Amino acid sequence: KVSHHLPLAMDDFYEKIKSSESNGAIFFAVCRGKVSEGLDFADDNGRAVVVTGLPNPSTRDPYVLLKKKFLDDNKLHSRYKNFGGAQWYRQSTSRAVNQAVGR
């Protein structure tokens, strides 16, 4: 991961799209990355999004483990009845997909 590569890649992508000698361009990115959550591909800059696989959070991440445990332990006392760790985990994945598709 080199942060100065992204602006260069984006400039190259936009250049290919605008070129009359080109039939378009394809830009690959991963969910939960800089491109899927921080850039806007409006108008001719983005016509389709293909998502392969689901961007589940790491099950070994301490934050994920603690969040799931907290929600499971407090499920009965919460104002959101029956919203436990498993439901939060699935919702987190859905949010990442929605965020990427909305680009």
Side-chain angles (χ1 to χ4, degrees):
K1 294 182 178 182
V2 182
S3 62
H4 69 276
H5 287 180
L6 181 60
L8 298 174
M10 294 302 300
D11 289 343
D12 189 40
F13 176 74
Y14 293 137
E15 197 175 294
K16 295 287 188 227
I17 290 173
K18 292 176 185 171
S19 172
S20 61
E21 299 175 8
S22 175
N23 288 329
I26 296 175
F27 199 95
F28 290 95
V30 297
C31 288
R32 299 183 192 272
K34 285 184 182 182
V35 175
S36 70
E37 298 182 2
L39 299 174
D40 187 19
F41 292 97
D43 302 325
D44 289 334
N45 295 333
R47 291 295 182 188
V49 175
V50 177
V51 177
T52 59
L54 294 175
N56 291 315
S58 173
T59 55
R60 293 186 206 118
D61 182 344
Y63 172 79
V64 172
L65 293 171
L66 288 171
K67 179 79 172 190
K68 286 174 72 175
K69 181 174 178 0
F70 174 81
L71 289 171
D72 287 339
D73 291 348
N74 294 291
K75 185 171 19 178
L76 298 177
H77 306 292
S78 171
R79 63 182 172 143
Y80 303 108
K81 298 284 185 209
N82 301 319
F83 188 79
Q87 290 84 358
W88 169 82
Y89 189 78
R90 284 191 298 274
Q91 185 182 60
S92 176
T93 300
S94 297
R95 284 182 178 168
V97 170
N98 288 337
Q99 181 74 29
V101 171
R103 293 288 123 205

